[in-house]
Amino acid sequence: MLMLIRGKQHRAGGRTQQCSVGHGSDALTGIWPVNSEGPFLHLVLDPSIKWPAANGRMEEAGDHLIIDGAHNPGALEAFAESVHALPDEGEGLPVVIFSAVTDKKYEQMIAYLCEHFPAKAYVAVQIEDARGVPVKELGRLFRQYTSQRVIECGNAQEAVRAAYRERSGTGYIYCLGSLYLAGEIKKMV
């Protein structure tokens, strides 16, 4: 397993260094071998060690289905930078499933996604929580910022089905924008 963290360049030279990943109660801390390249620290995790799960953070929930709890502009930018830093395996453009709650900067997140994270299609979905942004509003905003296909779905199950129909070859599906959405999709799979 390889994790990428944006940060200052370190010159670890094969030594180990104490690092933490995440923030608050989501942080993972341990002693990991560090290899430094460019602006990213590449933390190589020993697969024999049982690390706590990074619940909802770049979590593979199904066949090419990745859940990431990025639910604010900074987390969304970090997500996009992490995915762009991965090796290109020729899988084609991803499909993005997105939802948000009304007290987040969802228009800013949608604008960023459309400009910096091109997708074959964007699937806007209504989450079950009362604070969820109406799917019609999400769809309208996606259409304002992209010419790519935008699909509106009334629930998470419908959104995942639509995303798999849109996905090409070995392309990935990324679920973003809301921890509620991440939870709803995790309950299904």
Side-chain angles (χ1 to χ4, degrees):
M1 179 178 177
L2 176 70
M3 297 190 90
L4 301 173
I5 302 174
R6 185 181 167 102
K8 295 181 181 175
Q9 185 159 344
H10 285 249
R11 303 220 182 273
R15 297 173 301 162
T16 59
Q17 181 155 344
Q18 184 165 349
C19 303
S20 64
V21 179
H23 61 296
S25 63
D26 290 338
L28 308 177
T29 303
I31 305 295
W32 301 330
V34 177
N35 175 9
S36 133
E37 292 177 17
F40 292 94
L41 295 178
H42 296 256
L43 304 179
V44 182
L45 303 184
D46 182 340
S48 67
I49 298 172
K50 298 294 181 203
W51 298 98
N55 209 4
R57 307 275 187 217
M58 293 294 283
E59 180 180 346
E60 188 153 5
D63 179 33
H64 289 83
L65 176 65
I66 307 294
I67 296 174
D68 192 282
H71 61 286
N72 60 52
L76 199 68
E77 289 174 22
F79 159 80
E81 289 174 6
S82 295
V83 172
H84 289 310
L86 296 173
D88 182 7
E89 297 176 1
E91 62 266 351
L93 287 176
V95 175
V96 172
I97 300 174
F98 184 89
S99 193
V101 293
T102 55
D103 61 341
K104 298 295 180 179
K105 296 178 179 178
Y106 58 90
E107 182 171 0
Q108 182 181 346
M109 293 191 304
I110 289 171
Y112 182 88
L113 269 176
C114 292
E115 183 177 346
H116 299 283
F117 198 78
K120 180 178 181 199
Y122 296 94
V123 181
V125 60
Q126 181 72 51
I127 56 172
E128 295 173 5
D129 189 81
R131 293 178 25 218
V133 177
V135 70
K136 295 288 183 196
E137 170 72 358
L138 295 172
R140 181 189 69 77
L141 288 170
F142 272 108
R143 287 182 189 92
Q144 179 179 326
Y145 291 102
T146 187
S147 60
Q148 295 298 96
R149 183 166 161 78
V150 176
I151 302 164
E152 297 173 3
C153 294
N155 61 55
Q157 187 171 32
E158 186 183 324
V160 170
R161 285 187 189 137
Y164 273 111
R165 283 192 301 271
E166 290 297 314
R167 177 180 158 250
S168 56
T170 58
Y172 277 87
I173 299 168
Y174 293 102
C175 306
L176 309 164
S178 167
L179 293 171
Y180 291 101
L181 175 62
E184 289 176 21
I185 290 176
K186 285 178 67 169
K187 277 194 274 185
M188 304 173 13
V189 294

